[in-house]
């Protein structure tokens, strides 16, 4: 039986169940780590960030690091921020930051500045 499929859409991440249907290639670590941060109630708690990001996105890159910021809807009141770092694959586990601790964001900022 011949397949008459012209288009396959798979949007469920790197380990997609659709990927093996279209390629034998496996995902690999490209040398870049993204750390997701959120600012909730941004107008009230971090108005400077709200103004900086504006109504859409703000993207900045430097040598080996970057910041991607995106407003998540006017009614949502939040901004999602990704710290982008060129680090070894195990860096997030080996860097000594307690990711669930109350000072993780500040420790991260100090470690990459």
């Amino acid at each position: 039986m011949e397949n008459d499929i012209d288009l396959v859409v798979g949007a469920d991440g790197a380990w997609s169940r659709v990927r093996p249907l279209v390629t034998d290639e496996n995902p690999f670590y490209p040398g870049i780590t993204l750390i997701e941060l959120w600012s909730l109630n941004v107008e009230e708690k971090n108005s400077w960030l709200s103004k900086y990001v504006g109504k859409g996105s703000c993207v900045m890159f430097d040598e080996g690091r970057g910041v991607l910021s995106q407003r998540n809807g006017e009614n949502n009141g939040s901004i999602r921020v990704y710290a982008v770092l060129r680090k070894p694959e195990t860096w997030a586990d080996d860097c000594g930051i307690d990711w669930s601790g109350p000072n993780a964001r500040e420790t991260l900022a100090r470690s990459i500045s």
Side-chain angles (χ1 to χ4, degrees):
M1 180 173 176
E2 188 175 319
N3 291 329
D4 291 331
I5 300 171
D6 294 325
L7 176 68
V8 176
V9 177
D12 53 346
W15 295 103
S16 165
R17 287 179 268 159
V18 175
R19 180 186 302 276
L21 301 175
V22 295
T23 182
D24 292 331
E25 294 294 321
N26 286 318
F28 62 91
Y29 180 70
I32 297 173
T33 295
L34 275 75
I35 300 161
E36 183 176 3
L37 308 157
W38 285 83
S39 183
L40 305 175
N41 301 319
V42 71
E43 289 294 332
E44 179 182 320
K45 295 181 177 180
N46 295 302
S47 62
W48 67 270
L49 179 60
S50 178
K51 291 175 187 168
Y52 201 76
V53 173
K55 295 185 185 259
S57 303
C58 180
V59 179
M60 298 171 286
F61 289 102
D62 191 11
E63 187 62 38
R65 61 189 178 176
V67 176
L68 308 172
S69 306
Q70 177 185 33
R71 185 170 296 275
N72 295 114
E74 290 295 322
N75 297 329
N76 182 306
S78 68
I79 291 178
R80 184 184 315 200
V81 178
Y82 292 98
V84 182
L85 306 169
R86 187 176 302 278
K87 297 288 185 183
E89 185 171 6
T90 60
W91 176 83
D93 294 326
D94 301 338
C95 68
I97 296 174
D98 176 4
W99 297 107
S100 62
N103 298 321
R105 182 177 50 200
E106 290 79 9
T107 305
L108 171 65
R110 279 194 305 276
S111 74
I112 62 174
S113 60

